Amino acid sequence: MQGRALRRAFHLACAVLALSAASARAQDFYAGKTIDFIIGADVGGGYDIYSRTIGRHLARFIPGHPNVLPKNMPGASSAVAAATLYNISPKDGTAIGALMPGAVLDRVFDSRTAGNFVPSKFAYLASADSGTRVCITFNTSKVKDMASARTQEAIFGASAGGGSTRDYAAMIAKTAGAKFRIVSGYKGTTDILLAMERGEVDGLCGFDWNSLKSQKPDWLRDKKINILLQIALEPNAELNQLGVPILWNFVTKDDDRKALELIVSQQVFLRSYIAPPGTPQTQVNMLREAFARTLADPDFLSDAAKAKIDINPSSGEKVQKVVETLYATPADVVARARELMTP
């Protein structure tokens, strides 16, 4: 009896030592390493500002305090970055990415979407914001509000398909009666905003409200733009105070509303951060915890306030569940949403 008890105690002690050693190895994994932080957007835009602000603080909360190296990889509304993370980047926790929602959502609508990646297989680490998008025109445009947008044609700048500036302009034209003529091919919102100043286009849709506040505060202060519409599942308090109507006021058909709700739900993971599929769960857990602690950290929040970016975080686990739900959407709703986002 005593011998068996001693053997059990010995095996238990060995197991505890093994777990402790494994924990120590996990804690030491990032020491001396560099994490490539691939940003699927151009320099200077909202996604870049968010990611670089987070990147300056993230390493403090990762055991071993690795170097976090931001790398911009724009193209195809983050599909280039997503494909790189999926197919090329190391799967050991030393590569993470920042993706636009379209890169996550596009394959819900078309499994043939270019990019050779499956969004539902990424490990979602966090989302920094669940935001509201807007449609705006420059103050020189004849279109000042939704009433004039439904009677007069306006040129709206847009990126490629899968980007919110093209998809949102198309869906609003088809469901809310706006006479938007969409001109695609701009590299990103920075170029479209410059085109607005030059008079090349009237405005853009699908622009994040928080990005507008951080990138062009003078436009708001000096009333250089008209805010035609707010787009979100629920109204934004700031935009309500400014008298900006919400999309749902202009949508009359039930099937359109269901399809739009699918499209707009991507804003729950407006600023999503991912790790490649196959990343060990130990590293995923460490990165999720690091993002959660960063997004709640007073020093980071002070830095975010200086950058004029709003932080409304969601956990990686929550974002993962939302993505899984999206990929279970009924086919008829998906088909209608696909039609709405095609100019």
Side-chain angles (χ1 to χ4, degrees), residues 108 120 262 321-331 333-334:
V108 173
S120 57
L262 168 63
K321 289 179 181 178
V322 170
V323 173
E324 290 169 0
T325 300
L326 288 173
Y327 277 81
T329 302
V333 177
V334 172

Side-chain angles (χ1 to χ4, degrees), residues 286-343:
M286 281 195 285
L287 291 168
R288 282 177 171 174
E289 182 178 357
F291 268 96
R293 292 177 64 188
T294 297
L295 295 172
D297 177 65
D299 289 341
F300 164 73
L301 292 172
S302 175
D303 204 2
K306 292 174 186 175
K308 294 183 172 61
I309 57 175
D310 288 349
I311 303 299
N312 300 290
S314 297
S315 69
E317 293 86 347
K318 179 179 178 180
V319 176
Q320 198 92 43
K321 289 179 181 178
V322 170
V323 173
E324 290 169 0
T325 300
L326 288 173
Y327 277 81
T329 302
D332 60 329
V333 177
V334 172
R336 181 56 181 157
R338 187 188 301 118
E339 291 174 5
L340 294 180
M341 292 191 297
T342 304

Side-chain angles (χ1 to χ4, degrees), residues 17-59:
L17 287 171
L19 287 172
S20 297
S23 177
R25 286 194 299 272
Q27 295 294 312
D28 292 340
F29 173 78
Y30 283 108
K33 288 186 169 64
T34 294
I35 296 177
D36 287 336
F37 192 173
I38 296 175
I39 303 168
D42 204 6
V43 175
Y47 286 89
D48 184 57
I49 293 170
Y50 267 84
S51 300
R52 288 179 181 273
T53 305
I54 291 169
R56 286 196 292 271
H57 295 265
L58 187 64

Side-chain angles (χ1 to χ4, degrees), residues 67-256:
N67 181 39
V68 176
L69 182 63
K71 295 181 177 181
N72 290 84
M73 193 176 290
S77 302
S78 290
V80 172
T84 299
L85 284 156
Y86 195 91
N87 298 298
I88 300 172
S89 296
K91 311 297 191 289
D92 61 356
T94 60
I96 61 176
L99 299 185
M100 296 180 183
V104 179
L105 193 61
D106 275 358
R107 286 200 174 213
V108 173
F109 303 115
D110 188 353
S111 61
R112 299 166 299 174
T113 300
N116 193 24
F117 62 93
V118 181
S120 57
K121 291 188 177 181
F122 285 119
Y124 291 85
L125 306 175
S127 177
D129 192 22
S130 55
T132 300
R133 288 174 166 168
V134 293
C135 290
I136 62 173
T137 57
F138 210 61
N139 59 8
T140 53
S141 173
K142 293 180 180 179
V143 171
K144 309 289 186 185
D145 51 30
M146 278 300 291
S148 53
R150 300 171 87 183
T151 60
Q152 299 186 65
E153 184 181 78
I155 300 172
F156 272 63
S159 60
S164 63
T165 51
R166 197 205 75 163
D167 294 352
Y168 277 52
M171 76 185 195
I172 290 163
K174 290 188 175 185
T175 62
K179 295 183 179 297
F180 297 158
R181 179 155 64 89
I182 301 168
V183 177
S184 300
Y186 287 94
K187 191 174 182 180
T189 56
T190 302
D191 289 344
I192 302 172
L193 296 173
L194 184 59
M196 288 171 61
E197 286 186 300
R198 291 172 173 169
E200 296 172 10
V201 299
D202 288 273
L204 81 162
C205 266
F207 193 31
D208 301 320
W209 170 235
N210 291 335
S211 293
L212 175 60
K213 290 190 294 181
S214 64
Q215 291 177 241
K216 293 293 184 181
D218 57 313
W219 282 17
L220 294 167
R221 182 194 65 224
D222 300 336
K223 302 187 186 305
K224 289 186 176 182
I225 57 170
N226 311 295
I227 307 176
L228 310 185
L229 194 66
Q230 58 170 304
I231 308 158
L233 294 177
E234 299 292 338
N236 177 282
E238 275 186 303
L239 291 166
N240 281 350
Q241 289 182 347
L242 294 173
V244 180
I246 195 163
L247 170 64
W248 313 115
N249 294 350
F250 304 95
V251 180
T252 58
K253 296 180 180 179
D254 187 58
D255 62 337
D256 284 351

